[in-house]
Amino acid sequence: MKTFMFTILILAVLVCVWAIGIYNRLIALIEAINNNQRQIDIQLDRRYKVFESLIETVKKYMDYEQTTLKDVVALRNQAKTAQASGDEKARIAAENGISQIASNLNVVFEQYPDLKANQNVLQLQEEIVSTENKLAYAKQAYNDSLERYYAKEKSFFESMVVGFFSGKLDKMYEYWSLPEGQIAAKEAYTVKL
């Protein structure tokens, strides 16, 4: 009888240690997601500052920057408001709008030869490209961390622990991705010679 109770006690301790290990791994994955989200925020803030600098530099060359600045500021404000309210879908849509503006800037610069040759503008264009690349990498890292978390969370034993600690471990996140309209446009794109 004594060895049976001792065996039950040992099994209970092992199950507790096992559950704590799963809990800690899931918390680590959630923290990795939070860190990746902060990295995206850093790149988004950097992008906004580079846009402001670029627009200030090109103000003397064209009227386009007024509309662009207003659009970027409006989208940035939408993103900040959505972030404050916890609406990730609206935030992602606003930030994707800013990315769309960034991709159109090179076309506009082609129309202004003096502007194209300006060293500050060239440097800021490089910064925008660099920031967009870093932002894309940060978004991919974030989406990858979501995949790792969701895969782990849905695993058989892990899902039991998640069910028991659902308030702490059962999280839902929005993926960073292109809106459906942009995906369809890119899929339908053809090169015209």
Side-chain angles (χ1 to χ4, degrees), residues 9 29 36-38 43 46-47 52 54 56 79 98 129 150 165-167 179:
L9 180 64
L29 289 172
N36 286 334
Q37 182 65 50
R38 286 188 289 275
Q43 294 307 321
R46 182 174 187 267
R47 176 176 70 179
E52 283 182 324
L54 178 63
E56 284 301 314
I98 296 173
V129 170
Y150 287 144
F165 297 104
S166 62

Side-chain angles (χ1 to χ4, degrees), residues 17-77:
V17 167
W18 167 78
I20 290 169
I22 289 174
Y23 178 89
N24 288 339
R25 280 192 296 278
L26 288 169
I27 289 293
L29 289 172
I30 290 170
E31 288 305 314
I33 291 168
N34 293 336
N35 180 55
N36 286 334
Q37 182 65 50
R38 286 188 289 275
Q39 296 305 315
I40 291 172
D41 291 341
I42 289 167
Q43 294 307 321
L44 292 173
D45 186 56
R46 182 174 187 267
R47 176 176 70 179
Y48 184 69
K49 288 175 182 170
V50 172
F51 262 111
E52 283 182 324
S53 298
L54 178 63
I55 290 167
E56 284 301 314
T57 302
V58 299
K59 271 187 178 178
K60 62 184 174 187
Y61 287 100
M62 58 183 164
D63 294 330
Y64 172 82
E65 87 286 343
Q66 289 292 1
T67 305
T68 302
L69 178 60
K70 286 177 186 171
D71 291 347
V72 169
V73 168
L75 288 168
R76 185 67 179 157
N77 289 340

Side-chain angles (χ1 to χ4, degrees), residues 56-180:
E56 284 301 314
T57 302
V58 299
K59 271 187 178 178
K60 62 184 174 187
Y61 287 100
M62 58 183 164
D63 294 330
Y64 172 82
E65 87 286 343
Q66 289 292 1
T67 305
T68 302
L69 178 60
K70 286 177 186 171
D71 291 347
V72 169
V73 168
L75 288 168
R76 185 67 179 157
N77 289 340
Q78 286 175 15
K80 287 288 187 188
T81 302
Q83 182 181 16
S85 68
D87 186 356
E88 280 298 302
K89 196 168 242 166
R91 178 177 180 230
I92 289 169
E95 296 295 355
N96 284 340
I98 296 173
S99 289
Q100 188 68 30
I101 291 170
S103 67
N104 291 333
L105 280 178
N106 285 335
V107 173
V108 172
F109 290 145
E110 294 294 326
Q111 300 170 6
Y112 297 89
D114 293 340
L115 185 61
K116 260 177 58 175
N118 183 300
Q119 282 303 110
N120 289 342
V121 171
L122 293 174
Q123 182 181 358
L124 290 168
Q125 277 184 286
E126 269 306 308
E127 284 295 316
I128 286 176
V129 170
S130 171
T131 301
E132 286 297 318
N133 289 339
K134 289 176 184 175
L135 185 56
Y137 178 78
K139 288 176 182 179
Q140 172 148 8
Y142 172 80
N143 285 345
D144 290 346
S145 65
L146 288 185
E147 287 297 317
R148 282 190 297 277
Y149 170 72
Y150 287 144
K152 188 63 113 169
E153 176 193 40
K154 292 174 185 166
S155 298
F156 182 73
F157 292 116
E158 284 79 353
S159 66
M160 287 188 267
V161 174
V162 169
F164 193 72
F165 297 104
S166 62
K168 291 260 188 199
L169 298 176
D170 194 13
K171 305 284 186 186
M172 292 301 298
Y173 297 95
E174 285 288 329
Y175 284 93
W176 281 87
S177 62
L178 290 174
E180 290 299 320

